């Protein structure tokens, strides 16, 4: 799928969502974390942990985000196998969501997810050695709640993502 965000002004909630998967180390082993963010407000809309890189945990999070927040105009991700999977793409198409994918090796194309991973890992994950998936889920969930509700962002004029997401016009109102 082409990269649709070049030269696009993204300035309202649900205009563009972005997603990625990252590696979460534990005391013994590791997990994979999938997250969907609203591009304009940096809000984490949904997330899931898994011990494998199957597509099902990504689809679960995507369906939760759509059920909770409605549909974005554009969904942007990298070209990972989960995001090109027929079942994942079918969810996006069924909801009329345009699909955008980063260029190969172009991490900057999805920079807001990459920045979120850095914040999460340096402010939470690397400070602990999770003993279990349940413990990782608890502390990551707690961090994401803090990130969405309290953590100020300079790009949001010092507001937290929730304040930016819920206090801006949506695509329908704009």
């Amino acid at each position: 799928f082409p990269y649709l965000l070049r030269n696009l002004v993204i300035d309202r909630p649900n205009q563009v969502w972005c997603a990625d998967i990252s590696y979460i180390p534990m005391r013994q082993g590791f997990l994979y974390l999938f997250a969907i963010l609203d591009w304009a407000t940096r809000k984490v809309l949904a997330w899931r942990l898994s011990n494998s890189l199957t597509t099902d945990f990504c689809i679960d999070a995507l369906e939760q985000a759509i059920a909770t927040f409605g549909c974005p105009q554009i969904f942007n991700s990298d070209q990972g196998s989960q995001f090109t999977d027929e079942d994942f793409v079918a969810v996006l198409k069924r909801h009329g969501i345009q699909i955008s994918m980063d260029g190969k090796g172009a991490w900057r194309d999805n920079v807001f997810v990459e920045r979120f991973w850095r914040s999460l890992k340096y402010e939470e994950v690397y400070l602990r050695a999770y003993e279990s998936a349940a413990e990782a889920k608890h502390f990551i969930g707690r961090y994401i709640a803090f990130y969405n509700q309290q953590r100020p962002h300079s790009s949001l004029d010092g507001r937290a993502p929730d304040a930016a997401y819920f206090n801006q016009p949506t695509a329908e109102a704009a």
Side-chain angles (χ1 to χ4, degrees), residues 5-6 19 29 33 41 51-52 78 83-84 99 117 122-123 125 129:
L5 308 184
R6 195 163 331 284
L33 175 62
T41 66
N51 61 359
S52 69
D78 62 25
F83 308 127
T84 57
I99 302 169
W117 292 146
Y122 281 92
E123 296 174 16
V125 173

Side-chain angles (χ1 to χ4, degrees), residues 3 23 33 37-38 59 67 74 80 88 101 106 111 115 118 121 128-129 134 137 143 159-160 171:
Y3 183 67
Y23 170 91
L33 175 62
L37 278 73
D38 179 75
I59 292 172
I74 299 171
F88 190 88
M101 291 193 168
V111 68
R115 286 181 181 173
R118 185 180 192 287
K121 289 180 177 182
R128 301 179 194 279
K137 183 178 180 181
Y143 178 82
R159 296 178 296 164

Side-chain angles (χ1 to χ4, degrees), residues 42-45 143-150 160-163:
R42 318 305 193 258
K43 178 176 175 52
V44 178
L45 302 168
Y143 178 82
I144 290 174
F146 162 76
Y147 178 90
N148 278 339
Q149 298 165 11
Q150 298 175 23
D162 274 359

Side-chain angles (χ1 to χ4, degrees), residues 61-111:
L62 176 59
E63 289 176 339
Q64 178 202 345
I66 290 169
T68 305
F69 299 103
C71 294
Q73 291 176 317
I74 299 171
F75 187 92
N76 189 73
S77 68
D78 62 25
Q79 299 179 30
S81 62
Q82 295 79 13
F83 308 127
T84 57
D85 182 272
E86 184 178 295
D87 293 335
F88 190 88
V89 169
V91 174
L92 297 170
K93 287 183 175 182
R94 187 170 60 247
H95 290 282
I97 300 166
Q98 295 177 53
I99 302 169
S100 172
M101 291 193 168
D102 305 341
K104 284 192 183 252
W107 64 269
R108 282 183 223 97
D109 288 349
N110 218 355
V111 68

